[in-house]
Amino acid sequence: MPLGKIQTAIINRLGELGRLTPEQVSSILAMPEEPTGEELDKLLQDEHKVTPFALLVAKARAFGFAPCHVARHRVTPETFERLSQEFCEKNLVLPVGQLGELLLVAFANPFDVSLPAKIQEQTGLKIVRLLAPEKDIREKFAKSNEPQAEGFHDVVAQIGAEFGVVTDASEEELTDEESGPIIELANRVIEEAYYVGTSDIHIEPQEHDMVVRYRVDGICHEKLRLPAKVGPALVARLKIMCNLDIAERRLPQDGRIVFKQYTKKNLDIDLRVSTAPLNHGEGVVMRILDKQKSTLPLPALGFTAENLAKYREVIRQPYGMILHCGPTGSGKSMTLYSALNEINSPDLVIRTAEDPIEYTLPGINQMQMHRQIGLTFAAALRAFLRQDPDIILVGEIRDKETANIAVEAALTGHLLISTLHTNDAPGTVARLTDMGVEPFMISSSLLCVCAQRLMRRVCKTCRVAYEPEGREKEVLEKAIGWSGQIFRHNPKGCPKCGGSGYKGRVGIHELMITNDELISGINKELETAELKKIAMRGGMKTLHQDSLLKVKDGLTTMEEAIATVPPDL
């Protein structure tokens, strides 16, 4: 055969993905002369209309790599903590994330088989190999010297205060939402939050001050304190940025900021904004949605090997309902997106109804909700059922109408994935029953429920090993039947973790897969505690047990595990 082994593998993978017809595959493989790699890429993209993303996926599969959207990853000084920038530029590799003992590295040259071993030797971590286009990696190096966070001191001086001390600024400047200093302050609050890895920004009016707090790794830290009279102007400016009514201060409002419209920096982020009237004025909470951030592969989310195998089997079922439950900020959306990314293929039609769309996924049709005009989850579901989908994702089941349509969709040949706010997996059944869904409908449609939380990872650089005693030892032995060396965080921390003793977060999961005994228990309307016992007999690990498995593996501490979920009764 004229084409080389790798080129043949790429063509065959494109055929498997449905990007080339069998006739096109045969005709390319029968070419009389072997083209170069660049010539083959040009032929596939120009003549056969293969998209760059499909070509990247095919190449990755041919080489045994995973595809990587390098453009969605942000380069910061932390990117080159494990591998120097000089080494990365020389070898055209880019670290795009670290998950416990796994280092995710994008390679431009998959033929250099010795490079992963060199990186593993340098870092002491296992390497997950990703494939990315060379030009994308080079562009990231070109952008790596972009300016980072600038702090607040200059803008605070402009608006006439230095952490609560008023200076020469006039009252008009402090209370005018269109003044230059207030505009600069609003932008700087958002930019600084993004650079330090914040998930939520809290702007809170108090009696004598206006406080700005950032939530990083699930914990809130005070970042800025200004005179109270600055608060209304800052809130008004944020309302203007998301097209809310600045005159309405008595009712809560929701909006969205497309931040690239307001900044000259290369920040492609959106913010989900919620305002609320509080006792000392209006407060604002903003959730940062980073469009440059890509979804993580399922193995990187913290699933144990047993839970991962079960979950992968469930998401490949042809129909039924999969629910994720947990509080806001517990990682539900990321898990749903990762699951969709894993099963996404050209032969499946996937529709999502979201509020808001947090990440844009290639090849998936996503719909943004607009409750003001009547586009609700229930309305979107009804529309989707007329559009012949295979898989439907609904952002949240929050009322009786949505719950009933979701169950009907799961019973009529669709795989439906959604989220629900309950404390644990067995409690989901009671929540659906409370919404008015009949127990026999729940048992017939439900495939699995995944309850989840996020726990802070203990810093691997400064963590302290010790042998648990007394109550800690009893808790470990009762929950997972094990006791041995575990770790506690270092209260002083180190430069890598910013002095907190923790860096990053890991997911814990309670995966309840339905079986005959559980279906019978749901139909009999058993109490949640009884359903939990049945699920545990079927192999379910509770959130508490899974958190202690993470303690056993050295990923987190006993204090963090107990603070996140209480012990089982």
Side-chain angles (χ1 to χ4, degrees):
M1 192 175 290
L3 263 63
K5 185 177 178 182
I6 291 295
Q7 291 180 322
T8 302
I10 293 170
I11 301 304
N12 287 330
R13 294 295 180 277
L14 286 168
E16 291 168 8
L17 289 167
R19 301 300 181 181
L20 293 176
T21 64
E23 293 76 19
Q24 288 173 315
V25 170
S26 302
S27 112
I28 297 170
L29 293 179
M31 290 172 65
E33 293 183 8
E34 180 179 343
T36 65
E38 289 183 4
E39 289 171 346
L40 183 61
D41 289 357
K42 186 172 175 57
L43 172 74
L44 291 169
Q45 292 183 60
D46 293 351
E47 293 189 22
H48 297 284
K49 308 304 178 190
V50 175
T51 64
F53 175 70
L55 188 55
L56 175 65
V57 172
K59 285 182 178 180
R61 292 190 180 180
F63 288 113
F65 285 50
C68 179
H69 296 279
V70 165
R72 296 185 179 181
H73 289 274
R74 182 161 51 96
V75 174
T76 65
E78 287 75 26
T79 302
F80 304 107
E81 272 184 358
R82 293 286 184 176
L83 287 173
S84 70
Q85 184 167 345
E86 184 182 355
F87 175 88
C88 293
E89 289 193 38
K90 180 181 176 183
N91 294 283
L92 284 178
V93 296
L94 186 70
V96 293
Q98 182 181 336
L99 300 143
E101 299 294 336
L102 299 176
L103 185 66
L104 309 179
V105 182
F107 292 78
N109 179 13
F111 294 104
D112 191 343
V113 292
S114 64
L115 195 51
K118 286 181 190 173
I119 295 173
Q120 192 160 329
E121 185 180 341
Q122 277 192 38
T123 61
L125 300 171
K126 294 178 183 175
I127 305 303
V128 177
R129 301 181 304 167
L130 311 172
L131 186 67
E134 181 179 327
K135 68 178 182 63
D136 288 359
I137 291 181
R138 289 192 185 278
E139 281 177 13
K140 283 294 171 186
F141 290 131
K143 293 178 180 177
S144 63
N145 295 319
E146 287 184 351
Q148 299 299 314
E150 300 173 34
F152 293 102
H153 294 290
D154 58 335
V155 71
V156 167
Q158 285 183 55
I159 64 168
E162 181 73 24
F163 296 98
V165 180
V166 178
T167 58
D168 298 332
S170 69
E171 188 157 340
E172 287 79 8
E173 286 177 308
L174 290 175
T175 55
D176 178 10
E177 68 274 3
E178 290 292 349
S179 75
I182 291 295
I183 292 172
E184 179 67 20
L185 175 65
N187 286 0
R188 194 73 63 82
V189 164
I190 294 170
E191 290 164 3
E192 177 84 11
Y194 175 74
Y195 288 130
V196 300
T198 301
S199 61
D200 299 89
I201 305 168
H202 295 254
I203 295 173
E204 301 166 336
Q206 297 183 2
E207 187 174 1
H208 302 294
D209 302 289
M210 189 275 294
V211 178
V212 178
R213 297 198 294 163
Y214 291 168
R215 187 180 292 279
V216 181
D217 288 342
I219 305 296
C220 267
H221 306 275
E222 184 177 313
K223 191 68 181 178
L224 188 62
R225 188 175 285 265
L226 291 166
K229 58 184 174 182
V230 177
L234 179 59
V235 171
R237 173 60 191 167
L238 295 170
K239 284 182 173 182
I240 288 169
M241 292 169 77
C242 49
N243 294 316
L244 297 181
D245 182 1
I246 63 170
E248 180 55 80
R249 299 187 181 94
R250 300 167 300 167
L251 293 173
Q253 297 184 69
D254 293 319
R256 188 183 183 98
I257 296 174
V258 181
F259 190 56
K260 66 181 178 182
Q261 299 175 2
Y262 301 99
T263 181
K264 294 178 182 176
K265 298 183 180 178
N266 185 33
L267 298 184
D268 189 10
I269 60 174
D270 288 359
L271 296 102
R272 190 172 68 199
V273 182
S274 174
T275 72
L278 305 175
N279 56 336
H280 294 297
E282 275 189 290
V284 180
V285 178
M286 298 183 282
R287 165 68 58 89
I288 295 178
L289 309 174
D290 186 357
K291 291 184 175 181
Q292 298 175 7
K293 186 178 177 183
S294 65
T295 57
L296 296 171
L298 278 177
L301 298 180
F303 282 102
T304 61
E306 180 186 358
N307 278 347
L308 182 61
K310 289 179 181 177
Y311 188 69
R312 278 180 157 158
E313 185 180 345
V314 166
I315 62 176
R316 285 175 169 80
Q317 296 300 311
Y319 54 84
M321 184 162 62
I322 299 171
L323 296 177
H324 284 255
C325 56
T328 303
S330 59
K332 301 188 297 294
S333 296
M334 177 60 80
T335 310
L336 295 179
Y337 284 127
S338 298
L340 287 185
N341 246 355
E342 177 145 324
I343 59 180
N344 184 22
S345 67
D347 56 327
L348 291 175
V349 176
I350 302 176
R351 296 279 191 272
T352 78
E354 303 172 58
D355 187 20
I357 295 174
E358 296 189 26
Y359 304 102
T360 304
L361 303 177
I364 292 177
N365 302 284
Q366 299 170 261
M367 182 188 289
Q368 169 70 51
M369 299 298 95
H370 290 287
R371 278 175 286 174
Q372 298 90 337
I373 60 170
L375 182 52
T376 61
F377 287 123
L381 257 177
R382 278 195 296 269
F384 286 163
L385 292 177
R386 295 192 289 271
Q387 297 200 340
D388 187 33
D390 298 295
I391 300 169
I392 301 172
L393 182 147
V394 181
E396 185 184 348
I397 294 176
R398 56 171 66 142
D399 54 50
K400 180 178 179 179
E401 186 182 14
T402 309
N404 279 309
I405 301 171
V407 168
E408 287 170 17
L411 289 171
T412 53
H414 306 90
L415 182 65
L416 186 126
I417 308 175
S418 189
T419 68
L420 201 64
H421 286 273
T422 59
N423 285 330
D424 59 4
T428 301
V429 176
R431 179 83 178 98
L432 288 172
T433 307
D434 186 50
M435 283 183 175
V437 183
E438 294 290 343
F440 72 89
M441 298 276 281
I442 300 171
S443 63
S444 303
S445 60
L446 197 61
L447 290 174
C448 98
V449 182
C450 178
Q452 60 188 92
R453 299 287 189 279
L454 290 176
M455 290 193 306
R456 289 183 295 168
R457 288 178 182 270
V458 66
C459 176
K460 287 188 175 294
T461 306
C462 63
R463 64 185 182 179
V464 180
Y466 73 103
E467 288 287 335
E469 297 177 355
R471 176 69 178 146
E472 286 190 345
K473 187 174 182 179
E474 286 175 24
V475 169
L476 279 166
E477 289 177 344
K478 181 181 177 183
I480 58 175
W482 174 90
S483 181
Q485 179 182 283
I486 59 176
F487 295 89
R488 65 165 64 96
H489 78 288
N490 185 340
K492 294 181 180 177
C494 66
K496 185 173 180 185
C497 61
S500 69
Y502 294 94
K503 185 173 177 65
R505 291 193 286 178
V506 63
I508 55 172
H509 305 87
E510 181 174 281
L511 200 64
M512 184 178 83
I513 309 288
T514 53
N515 54 35
D516 291 341
E517 188 181 3
L518 195 57
I519 289 170
S520 175
I522 294 171
N523 288 334
K524 291 176 183 174
E525 300 187 42
L526 295 180
E527 294 287 333
T528 298
E530 290 300 316
L531 292 177
K532 185 172 184 176
K533 290 176 184 175
I534 293 171
M536 290 177 72
R537 286 200 293 271
M540 180 186 85
K541 293 280 191 301
T542 65
L543 284 169
H544 173 61
Q545 290 173 322
D546 200 44
S547 69
L548 292 186
L549 288 172
K550 302 296 190 291
V551 173
K552 174 188 173 185
D553 294 339
L555 297 176
T556 190
T557 63
M558 179 67 80
E559 300 97 315
E560 184 70 11
I562 298 300
T564 306
V565 284
D568 297 321
L569 298 175

